[in-house]
Amino acid sequence: MASFNGGAITSNAGALLLGRIGRSTCLFERVAACFTDHRDPRFTEHALPTLVAQRIVGLALGHEDLNDHDQLRHDPVVGTSSG
């Protein structure tokens, strides 16, 4: 039986290119180095470069509000591009 529900799809495929460029140029790490991370490492789940990558990719895809990231974290392309 055919299913036409689409499954897990994305319209954010440009994020793959951005993620690749970001990793090959160390863009995310270089931007993250501009910040001081005052979080306690014992309670830190995500590294600062990963958070910066998620933010840059989100902005590039037109998601300027941080509230959008709660929904974006379920997008497999955004996750792949952010690391």
Side-chain angles (χ1 to χ4, degrees), residues 40-54:
D40 187 337
R42 296 175 297 162
F43 305 109
T44 302
E45 185 174 345
H46 301 289
L48 188 57
T50 303
L51 296 175
V52 168
Q54 179 189 23

Side-chain angles (χ1 to χ4, degrees), residues 3-77:
S3 174
F4 297 99
N5 65 3
I9 59 174
T10 185
S11 62
N12 296 327
L16 292 173
L17 177 61
L18 179 59
R20 178 75 172 166
I21 291 170
R23 283 189 298 279
S24 67
T25 62
C26 298
L27 172 70
F28 305 137
E29 290 79 9
R30 291 183 353 211
V31 173
C34 296
F35 299 96
T36 303
D37 191 357
H38 295 286
R39 299 175 298 162
D40 187 337
R42 296 175 297 162
F43 305 109
T44 302
E45 185 174 345
H46 301 289
L48 188 57
T50 303
L51 296 175
V52 168
Q54 179 189 23
R55 184 70 177 131
I56 290 172
V57 170
L59 286 170
L61 295 174
H63 300 281
E64 61 216 24
D65 191 355
L66 285 174
N67 293 332
D68 294 336
H69 288 278
D70 187 46
Q71 183 180 11
L72 284 176
R73 67 188 179 103
H74 299 291
D75 188 317
V77 172

